[in-house]
Amino acid sequence: MTSARSQTRSRLVVAAALTAFVALSTPAVAAGSVAGDGGHRRPCTASRIPDHGRAHDVLRVAEQAKKEMGLKSVTLRVTLDGREIATTALGESMTGVPADPAMHFRNGNVAISYMGTALLRLVDQGKVDLDDPVARWLPGLADGRRITLRMLGASTTGLVDYVTAPGFGETVYANPFRQWTAKELVAVSTGLPRWYAPGTNWSYSHANFVLLGAALEKITGTRLDVLLQREVLDPLGLHETRNGFTPDIPSPVLHAFTSDRGTYEESSFWNPSWTTAPGAVETTDICDLARSASGIGSGELLSASAYRELLNPGTVGLGTPTAKCPATVCIAQTEATHYGMGLLVLGDWVSQHPLFFGYSASMAYLSSQRLAIAVSTTQGPDTPGGHTAHTITQRIAAALAPEHPIPDFG
C-alpha cells in the first residue's frame, strides 16, 4: 500500500524512541568536548585523514555515500579499541555553515539503549528483578500484573505502537511543534486491542519505552534524566549527551531538513516530545555517539550475566506472525538479527539507528575487534527515505571488517 497515510506512518515508525512524565531542564556543559583518560575533556574535532589506509577508506565511503544519496551532511567517528581511526564532517549544517564534529543532533532511540543498560544496572544492584510485574510501580496499567520489566525493555508486551495508530502520523505532521504528554501517548496504545498476550511474541512499540521510563522513575524515586546521567552518561564520560525538556538543541547545532511534508524545510526544532520520555529526549555529538557504541555495545557497565540479558532477554525465537499480528509487525527474532534490551543485535554487531525528522544516526560495535562506528546524516532535497546513516555504517563495516557484515533487521 502506498497511500499518503501509510507513507506517513512508515516515516514515523522508524523514528524510534520513548516518553515519560516530567518537565525540568538539565544544566548545560561546555560544547564540543569528549571524555578522555581520567575524565579529561578534549574537543570533538576532525582528525587528519591521510591519503591511504583505514581512515582514507572510511572517508571515501562517506564521500561516495553523501554524493549518491544527496545528503546535506555526513558526520562520523570510527574508533578501534578506543583509539581514533577517523573523525570528520562533510557538507553543511545550513547554507554556508560547514558541518562540524562538535555539532549536536538528536540521538532518538540511542537513549533507549541507555534505559536498557540502566535497568540492568539496577538488576545488578539487587534493586529489581527483570521478571517483576510492573503493576508494582504502575498500578494503573492494564495487564500490569502480567507485564514485566523484561517485557518492557525487550518490547514483548503486545501493546500496539501508538505511532502506527490511525491518525497519529497525520496529527504529528499537521503540527510538528505540539508538546505531547506521556499520558496522551500511552492512552493511544492502551486504547487499542493488544497484538498478543504479554511475553508471547515480539513487536516494536514506542509505548513500551514510555512505560519503562515511568517505571524506572518509580523504582528509584529519581527523575529519569538524573537517573540516566548517574547510571550511564557519567560513567561512560558522555559529557555532550544531555536531556532536553524543550525542542531546543544546545549550540553548536547540526541543523536538519526534511521533505516529509511535501516541501523541503528545516525541521531541527520540531518537537520530539512524542518520541521519548521527558528525561530521555536527548541530543549528542558524534564523539559521544561513538563512545556510546563501545560503552553500551561491550556491556562495560554491566556484569557478565546482565550483559547476556542485554544481548538476548528472551527475544530470540519470538516474532511469529499470527492472524492478528502480521509479519511486518511481529518480526522474526533470530540468533542473527534480534532485539535485545533496548538495542539491536545485528550479526556480530550491537547497534541502534535512530531516524527523526530529517536526522539519521547510527552506532554499531563489533566486540571481537573492539571496533566502534558512529555516523550522523542530514537530508538534502532529494535524499531517499530510510536510515541513510545506518547504510553508511554498514558500508564502513564492510570496508574495515569485511568478514563481519552488518545485516538488515527484519
Side-chain angles (χ1 to χ4, degrees):
M1 188 165 99
T2 59
S3 69
R5 173 173 290 183
S6 66
Q7 290 173 353
T8 297
R9 290 181 191 172
S10 66
R11 287 195 299 266
L12 289 172
V13 167
V14 293
L18 32 133
T19 310
F21 300 96
V22 290
L24 295 168
S25 61
T26 54
V29 297
S33 59
V34 61
D37 293 340
H40 175 69
R41 296 187 192 183
R42 61 180 178 80
C44 186
T45 58
S47 58
R48 186 183 68 83
I49 307 294
D51 58 5
H52 65 279
R54 292 176 300 189
H56 178 72
D57 292 341
V58 169
L59 179 62
R60 186 180 58 202
V61 167
E63 289 175 334
Q64 181 177 341
K66 180 180 180 298
K67 181 178 179 181
E68 172 192 326
M69 301 177 192
L71 295 165
K72 191 167 188 67
S73 73
V74 177
T75 309
L76 64 84
R77 181 174 170 86
V78 180
T79 65
L80 183 66
D81 200 15
R83 298 185 302 274
E84 179 183 66
I85 292 177
T87 304
T88 194
L90 309 175
E92 295 181 317
S93 171
M94 299 184 293
T95 302
V97 179
D100 187 276
M103 288 179 170
H104 300 103
F105 52 88
R106 302 199 187 281
N107 68 357
N109 62 13
V110 170
I112 294 176
S113 71
Y114 300 155
M115 291 175 67
T117 288
L119 171 60
L120 289 168
R121 280 173 64 83
L122 296 179
V123 172
D124 276 343
Q125 295 162 16
K127 295 179 180 178
V128 294
D129 188 284
L130 285 180
D131 296 314
D132 286 340
V134 298
R136 177 176 172 185
W137 301 283
L138 305 176
L141 177 64
D143 288 334
R145 295 189 178 184
R146 294 197 295 164
I147 293 173
T148 65
L149 293 172
R150 180 192 302 275
M151 294 174 196
L152 291 179
S155 202
T156 61
T157 64
L159 286 169
V160 171
D161 189 354
Y162 56 77
V163 168
T164 66
F168 185 84
E170 291 85 348
T171 300
V172 170
Y173 278 101
N175 181 11
F177 302 103
R178 173 176 171 174
Q179 182 76 25
W180 292 80
T181 69
K183 290 183 179 180
E184 289 174 326
L185 298 170
V186 171
V188 174
S189 289
T190 56
L192 297 169
R194 307 289 191 271
W195 284 118
Y196 47 83
T200 63
N201 213 331
W202 184 91
S203 59
Y204 189 88
S205 175
H206 288 69
N208 292 324
F209 305 106
V210 174
L211 292 166
L212 178 59
L216 289 172
E217 289 191 329
K218 292 288 188 178
I219 290 165
T220 61
T222 304
R223 215 174 60 196
L224 184 60
D225 62 312
V226 176
L227 176 67
L228 294 180
Q229 192 79 40
R230 182 184 74 204
E231 297 294 338
V232 180
L233 306 186
D234 283 347
L236 292 182
L238 304 180
H239 298 295
E240 293 305 313
T241 303
R242 68 204 72 165
N243 168 69
F245 291 110
T246 75
D248 194 21
I249 300 174
S251 181
V253 177
L254 180 66
H255 288 255
F257 302 82
T258 182
S259 301
D260 283 353
R261 300 201 301 177
T263 186
Y264 188 62
E265 59 186 329
E266 177 158 7
S267 52
S268 310
F269 302 105
W270 287 5
N271 198 323
S273 58
W274 62 269
T275 65
T276 192
V281 181
E282 295 179 343
T283 55
T284 193
D285 71 6
I286 201 66
C287 289
D288 270 15
L289 190 62
R291 178 68 180 105
S292 296
S294 61
I296 298 296
S298 67
E300 179 179 326
L301 303 179
L302 302 174
S303 68
S305 61
Y307 184 53
R308 288 193 293 271
E309 295 282 10
L310 180 79
L311 299 184
N312 180 17
T315 50
V316 172
L318 298 179
T320 303
T322 68
K324 290 180 62 178
C325 192
T328 53
V329 175
C330 286
I331 299 171
Q333 305 296 291
T334 69
E335 287 283 354
T337 60
H338 62 270
Y339 202 76
M341 187 67 73
L343 45 72
L344 289 163
V345 176
L346 303 177
D348 298 326
W349 298 78
V350 179
S351 178
Q352 269 289 20
H353 44 272
L355 182 65
F356 175 79
F357 289 157
Y359 287 109
S360 175
S362 177
M363 70 176 193
Y365 183 72
L366 178 62
S367 60
S368 63
Q369 297 187 17
R370 299 183 179 180
L371 177 63
I373 303 172
V375 179
S376 172
T377 63
T378 56
Q379 298 176 4
D382 301 314
T383 298
H387 291 277
T388 55
H390 187 61
T391 298
I392 295 173
T393 298
Q394 289 175 306
R395 294 179 183 181
I396 293 173
L400 299 183
E403 67 281 17
H404 300 282
I406 303 178
D408 293 324
F409 178 71

